[in-house]
């Protein structure tokens, strides 16, 4: 019996081969690997076809339509193919790719809000997202309320008639809080049912930590799922990128925003993500997650560690919600590759101890690298309070649960014994 490519193959296989053997975006049927495309501009056979290209771009609703290519900043074959494949992985109608994760976040929020409108955001977020919302949006008259999205009733009390977006990361960076998307959806639907379509509140989820391997926010209640491609999806740490996935009605607005603000993903960065990143997402994440589980259990049982935050641990405050929404394509619990831990002792002592551990690993460990970023094949360690989250004032950090001495780990694909061995040695150095 002939197989139906769209229905009969698993997502992990389609991420290697593409959703179709020959994409409508580009005919590369004789190539086993899609050719790397590199052309700033495209020749058109007539002025009429050029005009048709612009009209088509401005009405970019149908993602399956073969584009008339005009100019790299509008549409481009490698990027189009990547977008098609990410939409498939996230279970969305369309995806639009940007130059970085931050460009994707600013475009989504830029498209969904106008001056005078309001955004509610979870209080722990990646530092630059916090800075975008705290420092830049208010300059354009867009108001932002940071609140605790773990308490959905409290969030609903913060909703104003101008509120257009509820923004969150789940798991959140860096302390891996898990927000119940189903409950949030129900609460937002109640409000939206009394609003005009243009005034409705959109739930926007940054899925960077989980990746679509662990979680597909659109299926859980989000309107838009976005991610930094620089991280788990790219996986190898060679290229930056960002993506927004959602309903096809938003595609034109995101395309137009990207065209005019210019944050378009370069084809030279789309290609490795298409050829190396996405096809290996499944296999990388399985290994990274297996190691994260071992490391989380090791740290939780270590006498010098005060607490470990990993969604896979029963002790995680939102473990039950994580089990509900972090599910891989086999239906198995997929708590991801990120974890956060705090050492014992008063804050000043714990902070000093974490510096000793981090500095030791930076100098002596082959398998644990002191560096920001995450989701790579290499295990990375960092100190969020002074590094990734330095943009958040220190008193706010503590209020939101970011410990001065907290340590974030992003597990790679090295041998787990080597990682555990180096962590064990480092922990012996502190009291
Ligand atoms: C959760 C999260 N979202 C977004 C970003 C921004 O991504 P990029 O560095 O690709 O702009 C980061 C970066 O670390 C992140 O951790």
């Amino acid at each position: 019996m002939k197989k139906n490519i769209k229905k009969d193959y698993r997502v992990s296989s389609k991420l290697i081969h593409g959703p179709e053997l020959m994409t409508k975006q580009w005919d590369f049927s004789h190539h086993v690997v899609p050719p790397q495309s590199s052309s700033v501009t495209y020749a058109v056979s007539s002025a009429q076809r050029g005009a048709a290209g612009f009209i088509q771009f401005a009405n970019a609703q149908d993602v399956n339509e073969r584009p008339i290519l005009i100019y790299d900043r509008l549409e481009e074959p490698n990027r189009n193919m990547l977008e098609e494949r990410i939409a498939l992985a996230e279970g969305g109608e369309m995806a639009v790719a940007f130059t970085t994760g931050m460009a994707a976040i600013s475009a989504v929020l830029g498209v969904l809000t106008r001056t005078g409108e309001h955004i509610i955001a979870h209080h722990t977020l990646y530092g630059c997202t916090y800075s975008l919302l705290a420092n830049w949006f208010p300059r354009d008259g867009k108001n932002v309320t940071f609140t605790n999205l773990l308490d959905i009733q409290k969030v609903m009390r913060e909703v104003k008639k101008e509120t257009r977006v509820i923004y969150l990361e789940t798991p959140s960076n860096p302390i891996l809080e898990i927000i119940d998307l189903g409950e949030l959806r129900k609460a937002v639907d109640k409000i939206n049912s009394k609003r005009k379509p243009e005034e409705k509140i959109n739930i926007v989820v940054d899925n960077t930590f989980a990746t679509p391997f662990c979680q597909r926010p659109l299926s859980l209640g989000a309107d838009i799922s976005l991610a930094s491609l620089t991280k788990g999806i790219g996986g190898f740490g060679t290229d930056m990128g960002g993506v927004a996935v959602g309903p096809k009605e938003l595609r034109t607005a995101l395309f137009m925003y990207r065209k005019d603000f210019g944050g378009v993903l370069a084809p030279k960065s789309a290609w490795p993500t298409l050829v190396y990143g996405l096809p290996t997402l499944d296999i990388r994440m399985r290994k990274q997650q297996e190691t994260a589980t071992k490391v989380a259990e090791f740290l939780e049982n270590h006498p010098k560690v005060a607490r470990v935050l990993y969604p896979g641990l029963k002790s995680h405050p939102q473990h039950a919600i994580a089990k509900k929404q972090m599910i891989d394509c086999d239906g198995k619990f997929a708590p991801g590759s990120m974890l956060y831990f705090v050492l014992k002792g008063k804050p000043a002592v714990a902070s000093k101890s974490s510096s000793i551990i981090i500095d030791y690993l930076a100098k002596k460990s082959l398998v644990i690298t002191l560096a920001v970023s995450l989701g790579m094949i290499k295990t990375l360690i960092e100190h969020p309070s002074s590094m990734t989250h330095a943009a958040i004032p220190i008193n706010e950090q503590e209020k939101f649960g970011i410990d001065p001495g907290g340590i974030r780990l992003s597990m790679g694909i090295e041998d787990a014994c080597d990682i555990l061995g180096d962590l064990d040695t480092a922990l012996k150095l502190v009291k």
Side-chain angles (χ1 to χ4, degrees):
M1 201 180 74
K2 197 169 177 293
K3 280 197 170 182
N4 177 320
I5 289 169
K6 279 217 163 100
K7 292 204 196 102
D8 296 340
Y9 287 96
R10 309 283 292 252
V11 172
S12 55
S13 300
K14 289 195 277 196
L15 291 185
I16 297 165
H17 292 278
E20 295 171 3
L21 289 180
M22 197 200 306
T23 170
K24 291 203 176 75
Q25 304 289 351
W26 196 13
D27 176 352
F28 64 99
S29 55
H30 299 290
H31 294 75
V32 173
V33 172
Q36 194 164 24
S37 74
S38 189
S39 182
V40 161
T41 192
Y42 295 84
V44 279
S45 52
S46 65
Q48 195 189 16
R49 187 167 164 80
F54 278 95
I55 291 167
Q56 186 198 51
F57 177 77
N59 299 287
Q61 299 266 320
D62 185 0
V63 277
N64 291 317
E65 205 176 327
R66 193 174 186 133
I68 299 170
L69 296 172
I70 299 283
Y71 187 58
D72 183 345
R73 186 156 38 74
L74 277 60
E75 286 200 83
E76 192 286 330
N78 279 167
R79 190 170 56 239
N80 283 3
M81 290 161 68
L82 177 67
E83 287 168 343
E84 209 174 313
R85 233 172 267 195
I86 292 179
L88 171 88
E90 287 272 358
E93 287 178 343
M94 65 87 210
V96 181
F98 296 85
T99 181
T100 61
M102 287 315 302
I105 295 168
S106 22
V108 167
L109 294 177
V111 160
L112 294 179
T113 58
R114 294 167 196 267
T115 301
E117 293 183 337
H118 176 236
I119 298 168
I120 295 176
H122 186 51
H123 57 201
T124 51
L125 290 172
Y126 168 55
C128 295
T129 309
Y130 177 89
S131 174
L132 174 74
L133 292 170
N135 300 325
W136 295 102
F137 273 44
R139 282 173 45 145
D140 291 340
K142 296 181 179 180
N143 303 309
V144 181
T145 303
F146 292 98
T147 190
N148 184 0
L149 262 73
L150 294 172
D151 181 350
I152 290 175
Q153 294 320 313
K154 186 164 174 250
V155 178
M156 292 306 118
R157 290 196 292 277
E158 304 280 6
V159 170
K160 305 175 197 228
K161 68 176 188 333
E162 298 83 15
T163 307
R164 296 291 173 267
V165 171
I166 296 183
Y167 186 89
L168 62 123
E169 296 163 359
T170 181
S172 70
N173 187 356
I175 56 172
L176 296 123
E177 286 171 317
I178 309 286
I179 288 144
D180 192 326
L181 292 175
E183 287 304 309
L184 184 62
R185 180 76 262 164
K186 276 192 232 155
V188 168
D189 278 349
K190 261 194 213 156
I191 298 173
N192 281 348
S193 67
K194 299 184 199 107
R195 292 187 172 200
K196 295 184 204 144
E198 64 276 18
E199 290 171 0
K200 75 169 196 165
I201 300 171
N202 287 279
I203 300 172
V204 179
V205 175
D206 181 334
N207 200 32
T208 300
F209 264 36
T211 80
F213 172 84
C214 298
Q215 172 176 274
R216 285 132 331 265
L218 299 175
S219 70
L220 298 165
D223 293 291
I224 296 190
S225 175
L226 54 82
S228 164
L229 297 175
T230 319
K231 312 291 190 284
I233 294 179
F236 292 87
T238 58
D239 294 271
M240 299 201 80
V243 72
V245 191
K248 60 181 186 314
E249 293 71 35
L250 261 180
R251 193 168 187 244
T252 297
L254 287 170
F255 263 29
M256 289 299 173
Y257 191 101
R258 186 179 72 176
K259 167 180 80 72
D260 296 341
F261 283 83
V264 66
L265 181 68
K268 289 187 180 69
S269 297
W271 189 84
T273 313
L274 176 72
V275 172
Y276 303 120
L278 266 184
T280 58
L281 177 66
D282 183 284
I283 192 166
R284 283 185 285 111
M285 280 303 290
R286 280 177 204 277
K287 169 83 176 162
Q288 289 171 211
Q289 183 172 271
E290 193 185 299
T291 303
T293 304
K294 285 185 187 154
V295 171
E297 283 166 1
F298 163 79
L299 291 171
E300 187 169 49
N301 292 316
H302 199 284
K304 291 179 186 167
V305 174
R307 69 193 169 102
V308 184
L309 292 169
Y310 179 61
L313 292 176
K314 286 200 180 74
S315 58
H316 187 288
Q318 296 92 40
H319 179 67
I321 306 170
K323 276 183 93 170
K324 209 170 58 177
Q325 54 193 33
M326 299 186 77
I327 305 284
D328 69 18
C329 290
D330 299 331
K332 293 204 184 99
F333 182 33
S337 59
M338 300 296 299
L339 60 94
Y340 178 87
F341 68 100
V342 181
L343 296 164
K344 279 190 180 155
K346 294 211 168 90
V349 177
S351 250
K352 181 92 186 70
S353 302
S354 73
S355 304
I356 293 171
I357 288 178
I358 292 174
D359 290 352
Y360 168 80
L361 292 168
K363 291 191 185 79
K364 303 282 184 198
S365 176
L366 173 73
V367 290
I368 304 177
T369 305
L370 170 58
V372 297
S373 205
L374 57 107
M376 279 172 59
I377 55 168
K378 295 190 175 185
T379 295
L380 305 179
I381 195 166
E382 67 114 5
H383 179 229
S385 177
S386 66
M387 296 171 75
T388 46
H389 292 69
I392 308 177
I394 196 88
N395 58 327
E396 300 283 299
Q397 287 186 16
E398 287 182 54
K399 232 171 38 199
F400 301 158
I402 304 172
D403 285 80
I407 297 174
R408 192 186 78 180
L409 271 171
S410 165
M411 305 319 305
I413 61 168
E414 302 91 344
D415 191 300
C417 293
D418 286 336
I419 295 167
L420 289 168
D422 283 358
L423 278 173
D424 192 37
T425 310
L427 280 159
K428 288 199 171 84
L429 302 175
V430 297
K431 288 206 195 91

